[in-house]
Amino acid sequence: MGTVHDEGAKASGESDDPTPSEPIWNPPTRVRARVADRPRQRVDLTALFGLASGGWAWSIALKAAVAMSSSFGLAVLLFDPRVATLAALGSMTVLYERETPYRYRAVALALVGLGFVACVSIGSLAAFDPWVAAVSIGVVAGVVTWLCQALRVDRPGPLFFVLVCAISTIVPGGPGEVPLHALVAALGAAVGWVVSMAEGLMRGRHPEHRAVADAFRQLAALLRAIGTPRLDHVQHDASIAVAKAWRIVLLSQSRGYRDSPSAARLRALLRWVSDIHLAATDVSLSRTDRLPAVAADFADALATAVSKPEQTPDEADLDELRKGLRPRSLEGRLYSRLARAAQAARRREHEPEGPGLELHDAPYPPLLQSLRSSLTAGSLIRPTALRMGITVAVAGVVGLALGIDRFYWISITATAVLQAGNVVLTVNRSVQRALGTLIGVVIGALLLSAPLPLAASIPMAACFMGLTQLVVSRNFFYASIFLTPMALILAHTAAPHPVEQLAEARILDTVLGSLAGMAGAVLLWRRAAAARLPQTIVEVLDTTRTVLLAVLDPEEEPSPARTYRLRRDLRSALVSLRGVYDSAIGDVPRANTTRPLWPVVVAAQRAGYLALAALALEKPPPASQITLQRLDLAFDELISALQDRRTPRLGALPRLVDYPRINMELRALSSATRTAVAQDERTAERERERRAQREHRRAQEEVDADL
């Protein structure tokens, strides 16, 4: 749950390979790769009912079903069936931290379980007054949203915290029953913890191996995307996969395991993942034709070799690709790194110590530092948490004012749809939630219309939860169809009501909650991401400048630790930039001023990735002090132009002979900024005023000179 940073390729001067490679530098540039089409977010049939790419979550679906059925059944045997629903919902700890190492997951899930217990206690204490309960649910939604994002708690985020809090407001009992409710929720959380950790008994290092293997697979996708229109999008996905692998491996470095040969092997493979990614970046930004499929297939085979060294591909498979290539060519460098990664993968163990194997980072920064940074003026976490808390609280209060007894379903629905992020995605999610609920209510009503014994309700609810988790990552509409019957069964068990009333209320509450979520997305901090985007670009450029100056300065050789931090910070900034842009383009109608910035975002990202690639060179060619000063001034002007929303006034860019693609992307960045300024009507008007003022001053100076 703690925040950790990711890192890129190995530090300068370090190598995992037993035979040091020759100095490599970039040859003259060829052409600039085509800019990918701008990402688009729409409300259409494909977005509503189409399936997202990826596989079905069979593993987590099975775990969710087992955890819910076990906790629900155990609580029914030990306690009143009406409070057993709290155990069923508490067992949803199994849905959290599903990709982190088991040692870290054990602590994180325990904290999630304590969070569930706290939410149940708050809901039970507030149950004496519905108005207090409505506000309490909103406060829980806002605070948990803040904590989940600040501490990087993965999906499903705040939803189940709000759900257990809301359900606890209708479970029978007064303040005297709060300890019992907390105990039941703790029982469910403990069952979820056990189910999630059980896999670790058989595959203790599976999360780390899977993360590194996924990074290799995404690199294979990047190699296939070279020379295609989707290059920039796949490049971003590859960077996310590499950053995720770094985070998972960092979290796994416990004191005893860190010094083992198997841990050293995993770190070595992680270094090669980073190196291959940056070598592929150099190749991708210098050619417009496709790479041979053999290279991508080799990377896919390396993914399998992470956990199965005996299936490591043979380096001879790359011989045909390397024939005729100059040793210092970009493609030659890429193929060489793929071959060396295969050598590292073939070894079942690696020397625990050696050059390039140390990770100069802590698994996670101090807790207070993460929370404090999330509250700064430039953070998107603060407005997101405030939007969630205010919307959920107001939705519940309005529901009560309208005379709706089950107002808590309005709050739960508003929480679910607001997790989408921006306006467009929230509208999509609202429609999916409403339509899915309509179908799900019919299914649930048919099941509850016949008196179901409790012995049948328990496995049925668990089955629907498993189906929900199976499809939720592919499409929220289909997940809502299965989630609704599960919720109806739990609600009917906790507070029995006539099925017709329960079904009608569920439909009305879902529609109102969806509308409340859309209203909150439109009215509260809708422009947060769009307003943050220019500053995020500035941060990327500033970090890129720092990296380039460190690489090119002949009088400075960054230490391995500083190289690590530079690469970590720049990669983190690049991933954040694309995330902010993706959120901003859905902040309609503000997105009209965001769309022209897409070429600026691409050029800034490419310059940053090229700086990362330069930092990974073993002996990067330096530049003169005059060139460094001119480069610094060029970045200053680009940053100032973005901050002032004006056309950059660049002179001749410093000529980086050994890094021509960086020159190319800086020129493209200047041109894209000029175009974006011209397309922004408000900014264009400012530019015309500035131009008129300059012309007026120039004319006045000429008049004064004549006098």
Side-chain angles (χ1 to χ4, degrees):
M1 288 168 55
T3 305
V4 299
H5 297 285
D6 53 278
E7 205 268 334
K10 64 174 176 274
S12 178
E14 300 176 347
S15 174
D16 306 332
D17 192 68
T19 57
S21 60
E22 74 282 355
I24 301 175
W25 58 83
N26 298 342
T29 187
R30 304 166 197 177
V31 292
R32 186 173 189 247
R34 174 185 170 186
V35 175
D37 292 337
R38 175 175 52 82
R40 302 176 185 274
Q41 296 177 0
R42 295 175 177 150
V43 181
D44 55 21
L45 294 178
T46 301
L48 293 176
F49 306 116
L51 293 175
S53 60
W56 303 100
W58 293 103
S59 175
I60 192 62
L62 179 61
K63 291 179 183 178
V66 170
M68 177 168 281
S69 60
S70 302
S71 59
F72 203 172
L74 185 59
V76 166
L77 292 175
L78 298 176
F79 307 102
D80 190 317
R82 292 178 295 178
V83 302
T85 55
L86 297 177
L89 293 173
S91 68
M92 290 304 99
T93 51
V94 75
L95 301 180
Y96 291 84
E97 300 297 333
R98 62 185 76 171
E99 297 178 340
T100 50
Y102 290 104
R103 175 180 172 273
Y104 174 82
R105 189 185 306 183
V107 178
L109 289 185
L111 294 177
V112 170
L114 289 176
F116 279 179
V117 172
C119 291
V120 167
S121 302
I122 293 172
S124 298
L125 287 172
F128 71 93
D129 187 295
W131 299 94
V132 175
V135 175
S136 298
I137 295 172
V139 172
V140 167
V143 172
V144 173
T145 299
W146 166 53
L147 292 175
C148 285
Q149 294 199 7
L151 302 179
R152 293 181 66 176
V153 178
D154 204 358
R155 29 178 209 192
L159 178 60
F160 281 94
F161 292 93
V162 175
L163 186 58
V164 297
C165 179
I167 294 298
S168 64
T169 63
I170 64 169
V171 175
E177 298 295 323
V178 172
L180 174 62
H181 295 170
L183 177 62
V184 174
L187 172 66
V191 171
W193 186 95
V194 171
V195 173
S196 181
M197 297 297 296
E199 185 184 19
L201 298 176
M202 298 175 290
R203 301 189 295 178
R205 294 299 168 184
H206 178 63
E208 303 96 287
H209 290 166
R210 180 177 56 192
V212 177
D214 288 345
F216 272 115
R217 292 189 187 95
Q218 196 58 53
L219 290 180
L222 175 60
L223 296 179
R224 292 188 178 97
I226 292 176
T228 69
R230 287 190 48 80
L231 173 63
D232 292 301
H233 302 308
V234 182
Q235 169 69 273
H236 174 67
D237 294 339
S239 192
I240 290 178
V242 172
K244 179 180 175 181
W246 273 100
R247 177 175 185 260
I248 299 302
V249 172
L250 266 172
L251 290 176
S252 71
Q253 299 299 295
S254 57
R255 183 170 300 175
Y257 174 68
R258 183 175 55 237
D259 298 328
S260 66
S262 59
R265 174 183 180 269
L266 196 63
R267 292 197 299 272
L269 290 176
L270 185 60
R271 294 287 189 179
W272 286 118
V273 163
S274 297
D275 278 0
I276 295 168
H277 176 223
L278 297 178
T281 297
D282 259 341
V283 173
S284 67
L285 299 183
S286 65
R287 59 185 290 157
T288 56
D289 54 331
R290 307 286 293 272
L291 279 179
V294 176
D297 294 340
F298 195 88
D300 272 330
L302 286 175
T304 304
V306 172
S307 56
K308 299 177 180 178
E310 67 278 3
Q311 297 186 22
T312 302
D314 188 355
E315 300 92 299
D317 296 343
L318 300 173
D319 287 347
E320 287 296 323
L321 300 182
R322 290 188 281 188
K323 283 183 179 179
L325 291 178
R326 291 181 294 110
R328 297 176 179 178
S329 68
L330 299 179
E331 289 82 357
R333 177 188 173 206
L334 171 62
Y335 302 147
S336 174
R337 291 179 183 271
L338 284 170
R340 292 175 186 173
Q343 295 174 8
R346 188 171 291 107
R347 286 180 271 178
R348 292 183 176 273
E349 295 182 342
H350 201 287
E351 295 80 4
E353 297 180 357
L357 291 181
E358 185 177 357
L359 303 180
H360 304 274
D361 206 348
Y364 32 82
L367 182 65
L368 291 179
Q369 177 183 332
S370 300
L371 297 177
R372 193 181 302 115
S373 63
S374 68
L375 296 176
T376 58
S379 173
L380 290 178
I381 297 176
R382 184 175 64 177
T384 301
L386 288 173
R387 181 193 302 125
M388 179 70 79
I390 293 172
T391 302
V392 173
V394 171
V397 169
V398 170
L400 279 173
L402 294 176
I404 299 175
D405 295 334
R406 299 172 186 83
F407 66 92
Y408 49 87
W409 284 119
I410 301 176
S411 302
I412 294 170
T413 301
T415 302
V417 300
L418 278 176
Q419 283 189 250
N422 58 42
V423 175
V424 172
L425 295 181
T426 298
V427 172
N428 277 332
R429 202 173 176 99
S430 298
V431 176
Q432 289 172 328
R433 178 76 172 188
L435 295 178
T437 299
L438 290 175
I439 301 174
V441 162
V442 174
I443 298 174
L446 290 175
L447 293 174
L448 293 175
S449 60
L452 286 177
L454 195 58
S457 298
I458 293 174
M460 196 171 295
C463 180
F464 279 119
M465 173 52 73
L467 291 173
T468 300
Q469 296 306 316
L470 179 67
V471 303
V472 68
S473 61
R474 305 292 302 274
N475 188 289
F476 188 66
F477 165 69
Y478 304 110
S480 297
I481 294 176
F482 298 122
L483 181 65
T484 301
M486 183 276 296
L488 287 175
I489 293 172
L490 294 184
H492 187 69
T493 304
H497 286 88
V499 177
E500 296 79 6
Q501 295 181 11
L502 196 62
E504 292 175 2
R506 189 73 181 93
I507 293 174
L508 177 61
D509 296 343
T510 298
V511 173
L512 291 177
S514 298
L515 293 175
M518 286 191 289
V522 171
L523 298 177
L524 299 177
W525 291 279
R526 172 170 49 84
R527 301 180 178 181
R532 174 67 175 152
L533 181 58
Q535 182 58 34
T536 307
I537 300 174
V538 166
E539 291 171 0
V540 168
L541 293 180
D542 192 37
T543 310
T544 301
R545 169 173 56 183
T546 302
V547 170
L548 285 177
L549 294 180
V551 170
L552 300 178
D553 192 345
E555 300 177 359
E556 177 184 359
E557 184 175 353
S559 65
R562 182 163 185 260
T563 300
Y564 186 103
R565 290 191 296 271
L566 288 173
R567 194 167 291 117
R568 176 200 66 191
D569 294 344
L570 181 51
R571 190 185 296 278
S572 177
L574 291 168
V575 171
S576 175
L577 171 58
R578 179 59 187 273
V580 172
Y581 182 84
D582 287 345
S583 179
I585 58 174
D587 289 341
V588 293
R590 178 68 179 175
N592 291 331
T593 61
T594 301
R595 295 188 188 104
L597 288 175
W598 172 242
V600 179
V601 170
V602 170
Q605 282 193 307
R606 289 182 176 183
Y609 285 123
L610 289 171
L612 283 176
L615 193 61
L617 294 177
E618 296 174 9
K619 293 182 180 180
S624 66
Q625 291 297 331
I626 295 179
T627 299
L628 293 179
Q629 292 174 5
R630 293 177 60 193
L631 184 65
D632 191 25
L633 290 174
F635 273 100
D636 273 338
E637 175 58 23
L638 289 169
I639 290 173
S640 178
L642 282 168
Q643 291 173 332
D644 298 339
R645 296 186 179 183
R646 61 172 175 80
T647 300
R649 295 186 290 273
L650 285 177
L653 281 172
R655 189 163 178 263
L656 303 175
V657 178
D658 296 302
Y659 310 92
R661 284 175 302 287
I662 295 178
N663 270 114
M664 180 184 295
E665 293 305 326
L666 290 179
R667 285 194 296 270
L669 179 61
S670 176
S671 176
T673 303
R674 186 182 304 110
T675 303
V677 167
Q679 292 180 8
D680 187 334
E681 294 181 359
R682 186 178 55 167
T683 305
E685 181 62 29
R686 288 184 186 175
E687 186 70 6
R688 285 191 291 270
E689 292 177 1
R690 291 193 187 98
R691 191 179 299 111
Q693 291 174 359
R694 288 197 299 269
E695 292 176 355
H696 177 72
R697 286 196 299 269
R698 190 179 298 111
Q700 187 62 43
E701 290 171 358
E702 292 176 355
V703 171
D704 293 342
D706 291 338
L707 293 176

